[in-house]
């Protein structure tokens, strides 16, 4: 079972992919999280990826594809995973399809979270993340009990530098130019599940589970 999450920045891919992976009892693989961790550690990959991420551009395919292929070759991803933020264009979709086909597997469903542009911009502008455990907050929709502190682990909250308005604008453009064609790729294969991404978090999770629960799942 391999489920993909597609959607513009701020659509809720991270939050929902985490919940769905938990519900289905499978691994959650978030390319953005892996890349941010590499940047933090100062690894070769992090050093190469940083300038693209800072500008809101996609990190080059060869780097991201190699990173994901390595990740899914490990034992915990042999038969299932939820991908969040990958693939983000057609060449990544093709690379994933061909690697899974080598193992006799395929993508089971591609979830497209649809959210209005106004909601995306407001979600990103008010988003705070925990530096320790990655939990997500929003200053209006989902504030932490104590300002600047994570409810889960007490870690410090921070705002992502690429959530600044000018970078958000570029990330939205990149979605339209490069990721939308990948939606079509999955639509043509009958795998695209379009899910309204606005409303209470638990309701959106239920919609997704309903949308992806079919013969293959
Ligand atoms: P995210 O956390 O998914 O919003 O990703 C943050 C940033 O990481 C993106 O704006 C890209 O610069 C980079 N990134 C994440 N996933 C990918 C991907 N599949 N391909 C290329 N770049 C990516």
């Amino acid at each position: 079972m391999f489920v993909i999450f597609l959607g513009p920045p701020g659509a809720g891919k991270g939050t929902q992919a985490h919940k769905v992976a938990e519900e289905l009892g499978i691994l959650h693989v978030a390319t953005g999280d892996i890349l941010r961790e590499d940047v933090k550690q100062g690894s070769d990959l992090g050093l190469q990826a940083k300038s693209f991420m800072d500008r809101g551009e996609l990190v080059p395919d060869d780097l991201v594809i190699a990173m994901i292929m390595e990740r899914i070759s490990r034992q915990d991803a042999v038969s299932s995973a939820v991908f969040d933020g990958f693939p983000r264009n057609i060449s990544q979709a093709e690379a994933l399809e061909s690697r899974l086909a080598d193992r006799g597997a395929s993508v089971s469903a591609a979830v497209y979270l649809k959210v209005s542009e106004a909601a995306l911009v407001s979600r990103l502008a008010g988003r705070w993340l925990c530096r320790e455990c990655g939990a997500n907050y929003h200053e209006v929709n989902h504030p932490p009990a104590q300002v600047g502190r994570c409810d889960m682990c007490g870690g410090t909250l921070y705002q992502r530098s690429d959530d600044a308005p000018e970078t958000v604008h570029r990330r939205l453009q990149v979605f339209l130019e490069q990721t939308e064609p990948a939606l079509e790729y999955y639509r043509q294969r009958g795998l695209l599940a379009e899910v309204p991404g606005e409303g209470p978090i638990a309701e959106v999770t239920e919609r997704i589970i309903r949308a992806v629960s079919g013969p293959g799942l």
Side-chain angles (χ1 to χ4, degrees), residues 38-39 42-51:
D38 271 87
V39 169
S43 72
D44 274 355
L45 172 62
L47 291 174
Q48 293 179 74
K50 186 175 183 319
S51 65

Side-chain angles (χ1 to χ4, degrees), residues 9 13 31-33 35-36 49 52-54 56-61 64 67-68 84-89 92 127 160 162 171:
K13 297 185 296 294
T31 38
D33 289 350
L35 289 167
R36 275 185 292 280
F52 296 95
M53 297 172 77
D54 285 345
E57 302 291 341
L58 294 187
V59 173
D61 284 342
V64 174
M67 173 186 99
I68 280 284
D84 152 11
F86 181 89
R88 258 178 155 98
N89 59 26
Q92 294 181 11
R127 171 156 81 171
R160 272 171 54 172
D162 63 349
R171 287 162 67 207

